[in-house]
Amino acid sequence: MPIHEKSLIRPENLVTHEHLEIEGVDVSGHWSTFINTRAVSDYNEQMQEEIAALPGGEYIHRCWQCGSCTNACTVNAINPDFNPRYWIYLIRMGYESELLRDKDIIWQCVSCNKCTYACPRDVFPEGVMKATAHWLELKGHTEKKPSMVFDETFSEQVFATGKIEDGRVLREFFARTKQSLFQDWLIAMVRSLLMRLPVTLMMKLGLATVFHPRTRGWSKAQAAIDEYVHEREAAARKALRLDVQGAE
Amino acid sequence: MSGKYKDVAYYPGCALEGTGHAYNRSTKEVGKALGLKITELKNWNCCGAMEVKNVDPKLQTYLSARNLSIAEEMGYKTVMAPCNGCYHNLKKAEYDLAHDQNSREVTDRLSRKAGHKTYEAGKVETIHALDWIKEEIGEEGLKARVKNSLNGLKIANYYGCMYTRPRHIFPEKDQGPGSESTSKPHFMDDLLAAAGAENVDYPLKTACCGGAHTLSDSDTSTKLVLNLLTTAEACGADVIATECPTCHTGLEMHQARAEKVFGRKTKVKILYFTQLLGMALGLSARKVGVQENFSDSMDLLRERGLY
């Protein structure tokens, strides 16, 4: 196995011993700090294939590590640990344990597509980020992240009725993530609006929350979409060698 | 004035029937004032926004293909979408159906089961509300119709992500003089300048507002929006002009949130470009739905003689 990129100087890689003597030489204490081995032995050789099997991850093999994605990345600018180039590298190398260090931030990709715009190899890094977040969840490495809950809340409404009503998505999302609807800033916003809004419009918006907007004759499309979604879910679980029956 | 977009199909999308109703209203009013006819797609469905593609991108392609097939059935060659998300998804579907066999197969299968015609690439052209006015009326045409000039109102033009990225789904952009640029878009700047605005040199035209995670990762969105707002103020802008309901609502929401949660107050106002154009065309602020915005810009507009 080749030696791969790995940051050595991390607290968990540094070892000191209070009392240690090796072949008559005293190596106790801070002056004789050891650094753990950099040899990697726990590769997941299926990792790239698994990510590539999920929607969005198909073109990960094209990456040649130029770093244009990370350089362009919106989230990287506010959190330097958010590093798509590095994660693609880890996935292609199968260095799962290293990727898992960042498992709780990968979902934060905002889909601005700057990476996809910049990428000279058409890797579609934005898709790879979504596939990776999905993979982490399917493998049980992370719980369902808020953005997944939001995607599901939104998509379920689209699949069921053909349309969404944004107030309903908001209320449903807050309920599912156990957040209060009564956030300071939300109240301040709505209050200032109510002072100005014409009564007729308020009634119209109020009615939309009672009579949900929907596309007429949607049931056949709904059935076709549901069937397709289940098929794809089963295929994804199979590609990740997970129990197909285990799907919710 | 090409005459090409004088009578087009109109796809408002879900946001324009909810939080973005002021955009819907002002787009229709501006169309009317300019003598352009728009006909809403019959029984349209949601484009899937940013969310359905995270379940499966091919479903998103199908959702947009259904809308495009409605436009075709209604006999239209062009569909105009003012929402960046809808516009992006229609464009993406068009691209995928033209270039990806698997997308075609999934769309065909779902369309058959849903009982409607399968849309084939190349039948309907998708345009943004910006293309619609820029191509059909143009700066000169607009100048001739301005009744109430924006009179040097300082504007930062904000285009967001979905209007220009990724480049490959917008084959008509980056085609030299006269075409839209994906790195430095200017259609909105051109139109507002024709309406009398003074556009400030805003470096974050295509930066991200965090709209995809506006509720699920609010702190990230607030940081991104705060950057957009403070930069606009540093550039001397009184107003940020928007062309997307998600960006617009995101800017408004996180402006309020930044003040309440981070204690950072900004005073730049946020208006849809159609509202600004409408007022320049002599429509009242009420008619273009200014009072429906969360961002309260009435004092500023009164001061400038626009309200």
Side-chain angles (χ1 to χ4, degrees), chain A residues 103-104 107 133-134 136-153 156 173 176-177 233 237 246-248, chain B residues 216:
Chain A
K103 66 186 168 61
D104 293 320
W107 68 278
H134 200 182
L136 287 167
E137 191 196 312
L138 282 169
K139 285 278 193 175
H141 291 310
T142 60
E143 77 283 19
K144 205 163 262 176
K145 296 296 181 189
S147 71
M148 298 293 185
V149 178
F150 192 83
D151 291 343
E152 283 179 6
T153 310
E156 278 169 25
F173 171 74
R176 287 191 192 184
T177 50
E233 271 172 8
R237 296 190 71 85
E248 301 165 62
Chain B
S216 52

Side-chain angles (χ1 to χ4, degrees), chain B residues 148-175:
Chain B
N148 191 8
S149 164
L150 295 177
N151 222 350
L153 187 67
K154 289 196 172 160
I155 296 181
N157 290 270
Y158 178 57
Y159 296 81
C161 302
M162 296 292 137
Y163 177 68
T164 54
R165 284 193 298 268
R167 181 194 276 120
H168 67 268
I169 66 171
F170 305 109
E172 72 287 357
K173 289 181 180 156
D174 293 335
Q175 296 301 312

Side-chain angles (χ1 to χ4, degrees), chain A residues 156-167:
Chain A
E156 278 169 25
Q157 262 191 48
V158 178
F159 299 161
T161 65
K163 286 188 183 178
I164 59 124
E165 191 261 297
D166 34 25

Side-chain angles (χ1 to χ4, degrees), chain A residues 197-208:
Chain A
L197 215 56
V199 181
T200 46
L201 183 75
M202 282 200 294
M203 282 171 60
K204 212 173 128 193
L205 289 175
L207 281 177

Side-chain angles (χ1 to χ4, degrees), chain B residues 84-104:
Chain B
N84 271 3
C86 299
Y87 167 71
H88 176 99
N89 284 340
L90 291 171
K91 284 282 194 192
K92 171 122 194 339
E94 185 71 37
Y95 180 87
D96 285 349
L97 291 173
H99 295 91
D100 178 38
Q101 180 59 24
N102 193 236
S103 292
R104 277 195 291 267

